[in-house]
Coordinates of all heavy atoms in Angstrom, one line a residue:
P1 N -11.1 16.3 18.5 CA -11.1 15.8 17.1 C -12.3 14.8 17.0 O -12.7 14.2 17.9 CB -9.7 15.1 17.0 CG -9.4 14.8 18.4 CD -9.9 15.9 19.2
P2 N -12.8 14.8 15.8 CA -13.9 13.8 15.6 C -13.5 12.4 15.8 O -12.5 12.0 15.4 CB -14.3 14.1 14.1 CG -13.1 14.6 13.5 CD -12.4 15.4 14.5
V3 N -14.4 11.7 16.5 CA -14.1 10.3 16.9 C -14.5 9.4 15.7 O -15.6 9.5 15.2 CB -14.9 9.9 18.1 CG1 -14.6 8.4 18.5 CG2 -14.5 10.8 19.3
T4 N -13.5 8.7 15.2 CA -13.7 7.8 14.1 C -13.8 6.4 14.6 O -13.6 6.1 15.7 CB -12.6 8.0 13.0 OG1 -11.4 7.7 13.7 CG2 -12.5 9.4 12.5
F5 N -14.1 5.5 13.6 CA -14.2 4.1 14.0 C -12.9 3.5 14.4 O -12.8 2.7 15.3 CB -14.8 3.3 12.8 CG -14.9 1.8 13.1 CD1 -16.0 1.4 13.9 CD2 -14.1 0.9 12.6 CE1 -16.2 0.1 14.1 CE2 -14.2 -0.4 12.9 CZ -15.3 -0.9 13.6
R6 N -11.8 4.0 13.8 CA -10.5 3.5 14.2 C -10.1 4.0 15.6 O -9.3 3.3 16.3 CB -9.4 4.0 13.2 CG -9.6 3.3 11.8 CD -8.5 3.8 10.9 NE -8.6 3.1 9.6 CZ -8.1 1.9 9.3 NH1 -7.5 1.3 10.2 NH2 -8.3 1.4 8.1
A7 N -10.6 5.1 16.1 CA -10.2 5.6 17.4 C -10.8 4.8 18.5 O -10.3 4.8 19.6 CB -10.6 7.1 17.5
V8 N -11.9 4.1 18.2 CA -12.5 3.3 19.3 C -12.3 1.8 19.0 O -13.1 1.0 19.5 CB -14.0 3.7 19.4 CG1 -14.2 5.1 19.8 CG2 -14.7 3.5 18.0
T9 N -11.3 1.5 18.2 CA -11.1 0.1 17.9 C -10.7 -0.7 19.1 O -9.7 -0.3 19.7 CB -10.1 -0.1 16.7 OG1 -10.6 0.7 15.6 CG2 -9.9 -1.5 16.4
P10 N -11.3 -1.8 19.4 CA -10.8 -2.5 20.6 C -9.5 -3.2 20.3 O -9.1 -3.4 19.2 CB -12.0 -3.5 20.9 CG -12.6 -3.7 19.5 CD -12.5 -2.3 18.8
A11 N -8.9 -3.7 21.4 CA -7.6 -4.4 21.3 C -7.7 -5.7 20.5 O -6.8 -6.1 19.9 CB -7.0 -4.6 22.6
R12 N -8.9 -6.3 20.6 CA -9.0 -7.6 20.0 C -9.0 -7.5 18.5 O -8.7 -8.4 17.8 CB -10.3 -8.3 20.4 CG -11.6 -7.6 20.1 CD -12.8 -8.4 20.6 NE -14.0 -7.7 20.4 CZ -14.6 -6.9 21.3 NH1 -14.0 -6.8 22.4 NH2 -15.7 -6.3 21.0
R13 N -9.3 -6.3 17.9 CA -9.3 -6.1 16.5 C -7.8 -6.1 16.0 O -7.5 -6.7 15.0 CB -9.9 -4.8 16.1 CG -10.0 -4.6 14.6 CD -10.8 -3.3 14.3 NE -10.8 -3.1 12.9 CZ -11.1 -1.9 12.3 NH1 -11.5 -0.9 13.1 NH2 -11.1 -1.7 11.0
R14 N -6.9 -5.5 16.8 CA -5.5 -5.5 16.5 C -5.0 -7.0 16.6 O -4.2 -7.4 15.7 CB -4.8 -4.6 17.4 CG -3.3 -4.5 17.1 CD -2.6 -3.6 18.2 NE -3.1 -2.3 18.1 CZ -2.6 -1.3 17.3 NH1 -1.6 -1.6 16.5 NH2 -3.1 -0.1 17.3
A15 N -5.4 -7.7 17.6 CA -5.0 -9.1 17.7 C -5.4 -9.9 16.6 O -4.7 -10.8 16.0 CB -5.5 -9.7 19.0
A16 N -6.7 -9.7 16.1 CA -7.2 -10.5 15.0 C -6.4 -10.1 13.7 O -6.1 -11.0 12.9 CB -8.7 -10.2 14.8
S17 N -6.0 -8.9 13.5 CA -5.2 -8.5 12.4 C -3.9 -9.2 12.4 O -3.4 -9.7 11.4 CB -5.1 -7.0 12.3 OG -4.2 -6.6 11.3
I18 N -3.2 -9.2 13.6 CA -1.9 -9.8 13.7 C -2.0 -11.3 13.4 O -1.2 -11.9 12.7 CB -1.3 -9.6 15.1 CG1 -1.0 -8.0 15.2 CG2 -0.1 -10.4 15.3 CD1 -0.6 -7.7 16.6
L19 N -3.1 -12.0 13.9 CA -3.2 -13.4 13.7 C -3.5 -13.7 12.2 O -2.9 -14.7 11.7 CB -4.4 -13.9 14.6 CG -4.1 -14.0 16.1 CD1 -5.4 -14.5 16.8 CD2 -3.0 -14.9 16.4
L20 N -4.2 -12.9 11.6 CA -4.5 -13.1 10.1 C -3.1 -12.9 9.4 O -2.9 -13.7 8.4 CB -5.5 -12.1 9.6 CG -6.9 -12.4 9.8 CD1 -7.8 -11.3 9.3 CD2 -7.3 -13.7 9.1
T21 N -2.3 -12.0 9.7 CA -1.1 -11.8 9.1 C -0.1 -13.0 9.3 O 0.5 -13.5 8.3 CB -0.4 -10.5 9.5 OG1 -1.3 -9.4 9.3 CG2 0.9 -10.3 8.8
V22 N -0.1 -13.5 10.5 CA 0.7 -14.7 10.8 C 0.2 -15.9 10.0 O 1.1 -16.6 9.5 CB 0.7 -14.9 12.3 CG1 1.4 -16.2 12.6 CG2 1.4 -13.8 13.1
A23 N -1.1 -16.1 10.0 CA -1.6 -17.2 9.2 C -1.3 -17.1 7.7 O -1.0 -18.1 7.1 CB -3.1 -17.3 9.4
A24 N -1.4 -15.9 7.2 CA -1.1 -15.7 5.8 C 0.4 -16.0 5.5 O 0.7 -16.7 4.5 CB -1.4 -14.2 5.4
L25 N 1.3 -15.6 6.4 CA 2.7 -15.9 6.1 C 3.0 -17.4 6.3 O 3.8 -18.0 5.5 CB 3.6 -15.1 7.1 CG 3.5 -13.6 7.0 CD1 4.4 -12.9 8.0 CD2 4.0 -13.1 5.6
A26 N 2.3 -18.0 7.2 CA 2.5 -19.5 7.4 C 2.0 -20.2 6.2 O 2.7 -21.1 5.7 CB 1.8 -20.0 8.7
L27 N 0.8 -19.9 5.7 CA 0.3 -20.5 4.5 C 1.2 -20.3 3.3 O 1.4 -21.1 2.4 CB -1.1 -20.1 4.2 CG -2.2 -20.6 5.1 CD1 -3.5 -19.9 4.8 CD2 -2.3 -22.1 5.0
A28 N 1.8 -19.0 3.2 CA 2.7 -18.7 2.1 C 3.9 -19.6 2.1 O 4.4 -20.0 1.1 CB 3.0 -17.2 2.1
V29 N 4.5 -19.8 3.3 CA 5.7 -20.6 3.4 C 5.3 -22.1 3.0 O 6.1 -22.7 2.3 CB 6.2 -20.6 4.9 CG1 7.3 -21.6 5.0 CG2 6.8 -19.2 5.2
V30 N 4.2 -22.6 3.4 CA 3.8 -23.9 3.1 C 3.6 -24.0 1.6 O 4.0 -25.0 0.9 CB 2.5 -24.3 3.8 CG1 2.0 -25.7 3.3 CG2 2.8 -24.4 5.3

């Protein structure tokens, strides 16, 4: 299958997405 950008996404990109989501929820609660 053709290799897309998402197929070679490093693990730190997933971690950054999770941290952004956690920060968004924390700011929303505040």
